Amino acid sequence: MRRPRLLAGLAGLALTAGLLAGALPAGAAEPAPAPAAARTQAAAASYTWKNVRVDGGGFVPGLVFNRTEKNLLYARTDIGGAYRWDQAGSAWVPLLDHIGWDDWGHTGVVSLASDTADPDRVYAAVGTYTNDWDPGTGAVLRSADRGATWRRADLPFKLGGNMPGRGMGERLAVDPHDNRILYLGAPSGNGLWRSTDSGATWAKVTSFTNPGGYQQDPTDTSGYNSDEQGIVWVTFDESTGTGTGTGATATKTIYVGVGDKENAVYRSTDAGATWTRLAGQPTGYLAHKGVLDAENGYLYLAYSDTAGPYDGGKGRVYRYATATGEWKDISPVAEADTYHGFSGLTVDRQHPGTVMVSAYSSWWPDTQIFRTTDSGSTWTKAWDYSSYPTRSNRYTMDVSSVPWLTWGGNPAPPEQAPKLGWMTEALEIDPFDSNRMLYGTGATVYGTTELTKWDANTNFTIRPMVKGLEETAVLDLVSPPSGAPLISALGDVGGFRHTDLGAVPPMMFTSPNFTSTTSLDYAETKPDVLVRSGHLDGGPRVAFSTDNGANWFAGQEPAGVTGGGTVAAAADGGRFVWSPEGTAGVHAATGHGTSWTASAGIPAGATVESDRVDPKTFYGFKDGTFYASVDGGLTFTAKATGLPAKGNVRFKAVPGKKGDVWLAGGAPDAAYGLWHSTDGGATFTKVSGVDQADAIGFGKAAPNASYPALYSSAKIGGVRGVFRSTDAGATWVRVNDDAHQWGWTGATITGDPRVYGRVYVATNGRGIIYGDTSETGGGDDGGTGPGTPPAGACKVAYKITNQWQGGFQADVTVTNTSTTAWNGWTLGWTFAAGQTVGQMWNATPAQTGTAVTAKNAGWNGTVAPGGSASFGFTGGWTGTNPAPAAFTLGGATCSAA
């Protein structure tokens, strides 16, 4: 499996730096109320909103258990908001979807705190970047109903949920006794801050004088890696306070971690009035975590030589005796043997002598997790070498619920797929259950409910515990008229073919695996033909599919390509135009990219799209000028000018209407809005009433309408939101509401050509959101409709496409060999060796004992004579894994293909 170079957090960095800088209005301290007319209009469309399931996809740097209420657990992400665990549903509930466009930076969460004295209260320190990429300042959000609603206290400085060091913490903490008192560690030289009114107001702690000046890279002129780390964690010694609520005595002893390699840990013994550097502490490292075992009087510290979360070459683990001041190096391995830093520090509150810590920056061959049951005297490892390169694992990875976590890889030992993890800075043992442990990685949340088997050297199972937590940065989306309802281009995990919106796709795009897919397109009249472009070290950075995205193959690329750029497919799938990043410039190709010809008349870096009717017509745009080609992209001619020359501009051509183009974009201090052309870009008319627009897409026309429904992430009538027009832009209705805003939604948007009212919205960290309307003609089951079993002959091809210890993946194709069409189908078989079906896509599974049935999805139930339908699934096996001996369909026995 490849090393995932860009994870969701870094994708957020690249996306925000590249797409948002200069494009968004500065965030106001408190957004102004929307005009009454706009609010009335917003209520006109009734929508429900869900995530298109991917499950995970980005870095989870923090997990916070409440220590007085069982199963109360929160997660923070670097660009995708915060979540609360729903024990009954075994899923995460998003808490910050209300954050709007102007405050998009508040979707980055640098720290969370759950109040132990009043578990209904939770706090989030929010802000994405401390440099000028984020135009707003940071804030502390406070909730008295577990994140259902929030109030906000603005800060006079920025916070960095997606900055270096974001895995350290927690920087925000509530006094466990007097819960009116909170502390916040600030970056960028701003020091330590305190609130004495439950987070409503904040003031600097002037007696704390070390602001934490460590910089990851002082030479970085962008201000990203050169930002000062500041105060990185706060830990209360609960044994030094009394009571809760009225009459409580504030906690006297508080420990603070500082971004300073020589002075990393400070203590106050007078409730924060004065502070002293702990004497005798180790130097040369940053303390990523400081976790206190008050019962035994130990402060444990995990150190690294850098701030992380990607890097760290050396590290140590120390134990500080709070009563005597003794420091003891309890590192699991000798310093000479470390090639990583330590983080992910946790104490088992049921058995405080049990401590775990992670080698968070060990990328190859895998991360490592260490465990001690004797306060650090001896340690064991999650895995070790039995005989290099063979590994002996204490655990089994079961990713059948999120099978793409293997990355489609089959690595050579000692690497394994799936990996135990990477960037493992968040690791927590449930304070009420010693068997339950969760940890965050750069792509998911893993966990186990069998942790104590570790100590008996008995194999325990680790599974994704990430359902509901969607943290992808969405770069492009298409909804073809046939095949899968949605195909996505995502940061870090590449993208997926979504055949069932409510199910996790089995695998991201492979052959090749792009680190991020920047652009994709399908041929309008031949939608099984797709093209995508993206980032990949060393290339190739363009790929093609002829089966609606189920399988891909790489194309060639011209010299000078450094990144994906944008790509377009001709309406008939016979030509392609690519505008990659780098010095190559725009190129055109016939066939599937086996050779490319430089396009004339269009500047390098232009955005390219295709006409959806004429296969020889392509369009381009850059710096306020629109371009068109009528010879398959070989030559372009400048057409309309005077379009937005600043900010981000995106445009699309309307399916079924030659020369019909919509263009959205601009900047607040220049031209900004929505434009329409009906003559192939020769002229454009600005759409009146649209103040700002950043993305445009098309969906199925409204009942009794002939023009496709339009969807836009826009500002209309002074209100920011997701809007729909059913009359070619004459009028608009807001379809989202103030509770569903998802920060920045300007990358791309598309309707569904098969379902009226359905819209797919791209977010920068909250994954793909889709909305369905209850209006007439809107909504369906997302691909799980009923079917009627057919009668007639059939043929089945069953293929195991991937197999690992205890698990496998299979693809099945059933062909109609009769002379009549099927209207729904159910395929049955028996597993001879007791195999089990896990997750299934493109069909609905049922299993009783060894008997299995697969029922068609809502969109693939009709199969013409000679036609076929395909589905796939993951399964489990022990011993052997033979293919089924026979298949039946509608009472008929199928032949083998």
Side-chain angles (χ1 to χ4, degrees), residues 698-703 705 707-711 724 726 751-758 777:
F698 316 111
K700 184 177 181 178
Y707 199 84
L710 304 179
Y711 297 92
R724 186 191 71 204
T726 57
D752 191 309
R754 290 172 274 185
V755 182
Y756 167 65
R758 177 171 292 171

Side-chain angles (χ1 to χ4, degrees), residues 149-511:
T149 60
W150 298 88
R151 301 182 72 182
R152 183 174 109 190
D154 289 326
L155 298 169
F157 49 83
K158 297 184 178 186
L159 294 176
N162 197 32
M163 296 292 288
R166 58 193 180 274
M168 295 194 281
E170 292 292 318
R171 301 171 189 250
L172 182 64
V174 187
D175 190 317
H177 296 288
D178 186 347
N179 64 348
R180 298 170 300 175
I181 299 172
L182 291 89
Y183 283 86
L184 171 66
S188 313
N190 290 298
L192 182 66
W193 288 65
R194 177 169 52 211
S195 171
T196 57
D197 55 9
S198 300
T201 61
W202 292 82
K204 188 173 183 178
V205 180
T206 56
S207 61
F208 196 97
T209 58
N210 186 346
Y214 173 81
Q215 299 167 289
Q216 195 89 324
D217 179 5
T219 67
D220 179 10
T221 58
S222 74
Y224 182 74
N225 284 303
S226 56
D227 183 48
E228 295 180 358
Q229 287 295 306
I231 313 303
V232 297
W233 51 263
V234 179
T235 296
F236 288 92
D237 183 346
E238 65 265 29
S239 68
T240 62
T242 59
T244 58
T246 303
T249 302
T251 304
K252 291 183 171 58
T253 300
I254 312 165
Y255 296 89
V256 170
V258 181
D260 181 338
K261 288 189 175 183
E262 303 305 308
N263 309 282
V265 188
Y266 287 76
R267 179 174 63 185
S268 173
T269 57
D270 51 14
T274 61
W275 301 84
T276 305
R277 176 189 183 275
L278 283 187
Q281 65 183 271
T283 59
Y285 293 99
L286 298 173
H288 275 224
K289 306 281 184 182
V291 178
L292 183 74
D293 164 17
E295 182 175 322
N296 294 315
Y298 289 136
L299 176 69
Y300 294 95
L301 298 116
Y303 288 92
S304 175
D305 58 356
T306 69
Y310 307 104
D311 55 359
K314 291 291 180 181
R316 309 305 295 147
V317 179
Y318 273 82
R319 187 184 72 200
Y320 174 73
T322 59
T324 65
E326 178 195 22
W327 288 89
K328 185 174 182 62
D329 184 345
I330 58 168
S331 303
V333 293
E335 185 171 23
D337 295 332
T338 58
Y339 55 93
H340 51 75
F342 290 100
S343 191
L345 182 66
T346 185
V347 170
D348 183 345
R349 299 297 172 181
Q350 298 295 312
H351 305 281
T354 296
V355 181
M356 296 177 72
V357 70
S358 71
Y360 78 93
S361 54
S362 175
W363 288 83
W364 189 95
D366 211 337
T367 198
Q368 182 62 274
I369 299 174
F370 303 91
R371 178 174 170 90
T372 176
T373 57
D374 53 15
S375 302
S377 296
T378 59
W379 296 83
T380 51
K381 299 178 181 179
W383 62 270
D384 210 338
Y385 293 111
S386 54
S387 176
Y388 186 87
T390 303
R391 279 169 50 174
S392 174
N393 298 338
R394 291 179 182 268
Y395 59 89
T396 295
M397 301 291 291
D398 175 6
V399 297
S400 57
S401 63
V402 191
W404 60 260
L405 283 167
T406 66
W407 251 264
N410 186 26
E415 286 193 284
Q416 296 178 349
K419 282 198 169 195
L420 181 61
W422 57 90
M423 296 165 59
T424 48
E425 294 230 54
L427 190 154
E428 294 292 334
I429 300 172
D430 186 335
F432 294 91
D433 184 355
S434 298
N435 268 308
R436 185 185 187 194
M437 177 267 288
L438 288 86
Y439 64 97
T441 77
T444 194
V445 177
Y446 279 124
T448 183
T449 57
E450 305 171 329
L451 182 60
T452 58
K453 287 184 177 181
W454 178 312
D455 304 322
N457 201 23
T458 302
N459 190 273
F460 61 95
T461 301
I462 294 174
R463 295 181 174 89
M465 294 187 178
V466 74
K467 182 181 178 182
L469 197 159
E470 299 285 348
E471 199 202 350
T472 50
V474 185
L475 307 185
D476 205 358
L477 296 169
V478 296
S479 182
S482 63
L486 183 71
I487 300 173
S488 63
L490 305 178
D492 298 328
V493 293
F496 296 89
R497 180 175 186 256
H498 304 270
T499 59
D500 183 341
L501 306 180
V504 179
M507 194 55 58
M508 69 275 288
F509 302 142
T510 58
S511 302

